Amino acid sequence: MLKLWSMQQQQAASTPGGAKKRVTAAQLRVQKDLSELALGPTMKTEFPNPDDILNFILTIEPDEGLYNGGRFTFDFAINQNFPHEPPKVRCREKIYHPNINLEGNVCLNILREDWKPVLNLHAVIVGLQFLFLEPNASDPLNKIAAEDLKNSRETFKRNVRSSMMGNSVKGETFDRVMK
Amino acid sequence: MADTAMPDSSPPLGAADPRTRWRYLDNILTRKGPFVDEDAILGEPIIDRLSTMKVLFSGAGGLGCEILKNLALSGFKDIHVIDMDTIDVSNLNRQFLFRHVDVGRSKAAVAAEFVQKRVKGVTITPYCGKIQDKDDEYYMQFGLVVCGLDSIEARRWINATLVGMVDGENMDSMKPLIDGGTEGFKGQARVVLPTMTSCIECQLDMHAPRPAVPLCTLATIPRQPQHCIEWAHIIAWEEERKDDTLDTDDPEHITWLYQKALSRATEYGIHGVTYAMTQGVVKNIIPAIASTNAIVAAACCNEAFKLATSTNPCLGFPEQNNYMMYSGDSGVYTYTFEHMKKEDCPVCGDLPKTLHLYPNSTLQELLDSFAERPEAQLKKPTIRTQSTSLYYQSPASLEEKTRPNLVKKLSELVGDGEELAVTDPAFQVTFRFKVAFKK
């Protein structure tokens, strides 16, 4: 190991040892992801505690598609295992959507089975936005909504509008999400 | 002739001559072989080094019991062991330092006692708690750190700590890290020389994330008993017991999930949901294979021994192999390679440099000075400490909330010795600085 130490001497220029309170690896990565985040006018993030960048709220206000005119918010909870583990994302409103269930769980491949550490927060956020533009009946989490979409796009569209106003659809009352 | 069948009359190992037990080891420690490092000083000095070097070992679990026993039998005599867990009945099949009477006791304490009793002359100091409880000063006392941890989070923490401790002025501050890990029939042993070679963070993508089933499959078309259990775990619990926090060690909770999963399986005509399987899926238990642990532990301790004694080439030197993977899935296969250091690794890519600051200057002044730094002109720096978001250029909401900090004095925002992380869209790496206030 003596040899090792002499190599070390040559390599390390001049680094100080032992900073107190180091920034964690997950924080470093999230900071990088946030700086690369380029959200359009339809989305914004909000940090209830600005010192805690691992927990924030994303607001999506689609300006086209079936969910046009609504305001949807998502809780993002990132743990110290990020990016080994994906962020946990949950819709805060009770909405009528084939890929989001009544508890707010979201079926998006990159949030679960297809997550990879090379993906970043931008990819997740774009993925969420896409769900509002193209709800997907073949990956249903809310089976009733998915069936409706499969059977008749017109009926589904009416149900979406009605649910967004805060009315009930097939006996289930939804949160009002109109801006 | 009957005599020849009798055991020979040499004293039992460890008795009489204190080196008797180590005579096989001494062959390696005193003889010059073809692979012995030319600078190695064989004999007394090396035996001394081995017995006085303090080794830290963390994680006294399945792999840990093997490693601890091997370290003690390799001639290390001052071993510290950290583990936060207590012994569970289910550990006893492979964690051979523990007996039934030990259930409920600290793993670190029992393992230390057991090995100390069996290997005379070894001192093992247990600590029951988290590695995160200890500070740099504690880690500084060791010559080597060996890990048999079971989580990525703990590995990343110890890695970042050891990388952060390296001080170019003090050669003792660089602690080689030997990391072992197993999962079923697969495992790895690797050596990290913090700041010199590829670190755990550089190698993060070598860990396959846990395979997951799409949520919609769980919700709508379960095909396997595991799908029904995951459904009960993720969806049913949320729907029906939202206010209870799921405790995977609570038998009532597991029973509830098991019943839910069972009735769902019946509904879809799926067979095979059992209580044990429920426990396995919910706690993400991958059956541990004792022989995988033994092989990986042996590899780790071999590296520790070689590093400490220079009696053979070891893994981990710069530009040499540092990673050994083992697979026993079909036949026995090992592959050893050099995992390269990542230039933009958030932990070892850019090492913290000391930044001398006036406590009375403002954050704005600090940011302006970054734009003028000769080595990297940071025009749009975003900056934080571990506890505080100092200033974020984006997103807009964070910019707005952190803007009031710009006019504050640095002494109000950061402590002496704290680390600053600075990112800039123009650079891949994160720059880090250790604050040193000028008097």
Side-chain angles (χ1 to χ4, degrees), chain B residues 229 248-249 254 274-285:
Chain B
I229 297 167
T248 54
D249 289 323
I254 298 289
T274 61
Y275 183 85
M277 184 193 272
T278 309
Q279 236 179 345
V281 170
V282 172
K283 297 175 81 168
N284 191 23
I285 296 173

Side-chain angles (χ1 to χ4, degrees), chain B residues 135-180:
Chain B
D135 58 10
D136 288 3
E137 205 180 325
Y138 173 83
Y139 289 107
M140 203 54 102
Q141 64 180 309
F142 301 104
L144 265 181
V145 178
V146 186
C147 288
L149 298 164
D150 61 356
S151 85
I152 305 250
E153 191 182 338
R155 283 190 171 87
R156 289 173 81 184
W157 187 89
I158 191 82
N159 178 62
T161 300
L162 295 181
V163 170
M165 268 165 51
V166 175
D167 175 352
E169 309 287 293
N170 172 14
M171 64 181 188
D172 281 344
S173 63
M174 203 275 297
K175 315 288 181 192
L177 168 66
I178 300 170
D179 174 70

Side-chain angles (χ1 to χ4, degrees), chain B residues 26-224:
Chain B
D26 285 349
N27 287 341
I28 298 170
L29 294 172
T30 53
R31 294 181 192 175
K32 186 130 185 96
F35 299 109
V36 176
D37 191 293
E38 50 199 32
D39 296 338
I41 311 151
L42 297 172
E44 281 294 314
I46 223 166
I47 294 174
D48 252 19
R49 239 174 84 70
L50 193 59
S51 25
T52 51
M53 179 184 266
K54 269 193 192 179
V55 180
L56 175 69
F57 171 62
S58 60
L63 185 61
C65 281
E66 295 274 4
I67 291 182
L68 193 62
K69 173 256 301 172
N70 291 354
L71 283 177
L73 291 175
S74 304
F76 290 101
K77 293 215 177 327
D78 190 353
I79 306 170
H80 289 237
V81 56
I82 298 190
D83 196 296
M84 60 183 287
D85 264 352
T86 52
I87 298 161
D88 186 81
V89 177
S90 65
N91 302 148
L92 301 179
N93 67 344
R94 63 191 185 284
Q95 300 180 18
F96 52 82
L97 302 177
F98 312 141
R99 296 290 175 268
H100 204 275
V101 292
D102 301 321
V103 169
R105 294 184 61 203
S106 147
K107 285 189 175 178
V110 175
E113 257 170 48
F114 193 110
V115 175
Q116 219 168 236
K117 206 161 77 193
R118 286 291 288 266
V119 187
K120 293 281 181 264
V122 171
T123 310
I124 303 182
T125 316
Y127 171 73
C128 179
K130 301 175 84 169
I131 52 171
Q132 288 91 340
D133 296 346
K134 301 293 193 184
D135 58 10
D136 288 3
E137 205 180 325
Y138 173 83
Y139 289 107
M140 203 54 102
Q141 64 180 309
F142 301 104
L144 265 181
V145 178
V146 186
C147 288
L149 298 164
D150 61 356
S151 85
I152 305 250
E153 191 182 338
R155 283 190 171 87
R156 289 173 81 184
W157 187 89
I158 191 82
N159 178 62
T161 300
L162 295 181
V163 170
M165 268 165 51
V166 175
D167 175 352
E169 309 287 293
N170 172 14
M171 64 181 188
D172 281 344
S173 63
M174 203 275 297
K175 315 288 181 192
L177 168 66
I178 300 170
D179 174 70
T182 67
E183 199 169 89
F185 284 105
K186 295 193 178 76
Q188 98 271 333
R190 50 187 165 170
V191 179
V192 175
L193 305 179
T195 71
M196 296 176 70
T197 62
S198 161
C199 75
I200 304 278
E201 196 75 22
C202 296
Q203 301 174 14
L204 205 59
D205 51 8
M206 299 295 291
H207 299 271
R210 178 188 173 193
V213 181
L215 213 49
C216 33
T217 302
L218 302 181
T220 52
I221 39 159
R223 297 182 305 273
Q224 293 169 10

Side-chain angles (χ1 to χ4, degrees), chain A residues 1-9 11-29 31-32 34-37 39 45-53 79-84 90 101-103 105-108 112-113 115-118 138-143, chain B residues 37 49 53 136 143 152-153 156 161 164-168 171-172 174 176 193 195-196 201 204 207 209 212-216 218-220 230 234 238-239 268 307 310 317-318 346-347 351-354 382 384-389 392 394-395 397-398 401 416-419 421 423 428 430 434:
Chain A
M1 208 142 73
L2 287 168
K3 192 176 219 166
L4 202 62
W5 282 326
S6 58
M7 292 174 84
Q8 149 76 13
Q9 285 280 288
Q11 286 209 356
S14 142
T15 53
K20 280 186 277 182
K21 294 218 279 184
R22 292 188 189 94
V23 181
T24 67
Q27 284 177 322
L28 290 170
R29 172 61 193 264
Q31 174 160 333
K32 191 165 173 234
L34 287 176
S35 71
E36 288 165 1
L37 214 54
L39 302 180
T45 52
E46 189 198 324
F47 294 77
N49 172 4
D51 290 333
D52 178 8
I53 52 168
N79 67 22
Q80 291 295 341
N81 264 337
F82 184 80
H84 182 66
R90 180 176 289 270
N101 71 8
L102 304 179
E103 278 67 43
N105 292 309
V106 182
C107 186
L108 179 65
R112 209 173 140 78
E113 70 276 12
W115 171 259
K116 290 175 187 65
V118 293
S138 57
D139 291 333
L141 206 53
N142 177 339
K143 238 194 286 187
Chain B
D37 191 293
R49 239 174 84 70
M53 179 184 266
D136 288 3
I152 305 250
E153 191 182 338
R156 289 173 81 184
T161 300
M165 268 165 51
V166 175
D167 175 352
M171 64 181 188
D172 281 344
M174 203 275 297
L193 305 179
T195 71
M196 296 176 70
E201 196 75 22
L204 205 59
H207 299 271
V213 181
L215 213 49
C216 33
L218 302 181
T220 52
E230 274 284 49
I234 298 174
E238 190 68 38
E239 279 176 11
Y268 284 89
L307 261 169
S310 311
F317 274 68
V347 168
L351 299 169
K353 294 173 187 64
T354 305
T382 279
R384 78 164 298 116
T385 62
Q386 189 245 316
S387 61
T388 313
S389 300
Y392 276 71
S394 67
S397 60
L398 259 188
K401 280 188 172 169
D416 201 16
E418 264 191 88
E419 185 180 283
T423 47
Q428 275 287 312
T430 301
K434 180 185 158 189

Side-chain angles (χ1 to χ4, degrees), chain A:
Chain A
M1 208 142 73
L2 287 168
K3 192 176 219 166
L4 202 62
W5 282 326
S6 58
M7 292 174 84
Q8 149 76 13
Q9 285 280 288
Q10 291 158 13
Q11 286 209 356
S14 142
T15 53
K20 280 186 277 182
K21 294 218 279 184
R22 292 188 189 94
V23 181
T24 67
Q27 284 177 322
L28 290 170
R29 172 61 193 264
V30 171
Q31 174 160 333
K32 191 165 173 234
D33 279 13
L34 287 176
S35 71
E36 288 165 1
L37 214 54
L39 302 180
T42 58
M43 292 188 283
K44 63 174 198 288
T45 52
E46 189 198 324
F47 294 77
N49 172 4
D51 290 333
D52 178 8
I53 52 168
L54 301 186
N55 290 284
F56 60 90
I57 299 164
L58 171 77
T59 305
I60 302 181
E61 298 175 350
D63 59 359
E64 56 181 310
L66 300 177
Y67 292 87
N68 186 1
R71 173 185 285 135
F72 306 93
T73 60
F74 292 86
D75 276 326
F76 273 65
I78 300 168
N79 67 22
Q80 291 295 341
N81 264 337
F82 184 80
H84 182 66
E85 282 178 19
K88 289 200 167 51
V89 175
R90 180 176 289 270
C91 183
R92 291 155 60 94
E93 293 84 24
K94 183 175 171 186
I95 64 170
Y96 173 83
H97 190 293
N99 313 111
I100 300 176
N101 71 8
L102 304 179
E103 278 67 43
N105 292 309
V106 182
C107 186
L108 179 65
N109 64 336
I110 56 171
L111 278 178
R112 209 173 140 78
E113 70 276 12
D114 290 333
W115 171 259
K116 290 175 187 65
V118 293
L119 293 171
N120 57 16
L121 290 176
H122 187 76
V124 171
I125 291 173
V126 169
L128 287 175
Q129 187 187 35
F130 188 68
L131 285 183
F132 288 104
L133 301 178
E134 289 292 333
N136 168 6
S138 57
D139 291 333
L141 206 53
N142 177 339
K143 238 194 286 187
I144 297 170
E147 284 301 316
D148 291 347
L149 174 57
K150 242 184 235 166
N151 294 335
S152 152
R153 204 175 163 86
E154 272 314 303
T155 315
F156 177 73
K157 194 172 167 181
R158 268 200 309 279
N159 289 347
V160 168
R161 299 318 296 183
S162 174
S163 69
M164 284 170 63
M165 305 296 280
N167 298 326
S168 70
V169 175
K170 300 195 168 163
E172 201 69 64
T173 309
F174 292 93
D175 288 344
R176 187 187 152 83
V177 291
M178 296 305 290
K179 281 201 274 191

Side-chain angles (χ1 to χ4, degrees), chain B residues 179 181 187-191 295-300 303 315 321-327 333-337:
Chain B
D179 174 70
Q188 98 271 333
R190 50 187 165 170
V191 179
I295 291 165
V296 169
C300 289
E303 294 310 320
L315 288 185
N321 291 344
N322 54 10
Y323 195 121
M324 189 279 289
M325 59 145 284
Y326 161 80
S327 169
Y333 177 73
T334 70
Y335 180 66
T336 309
F337 62 97

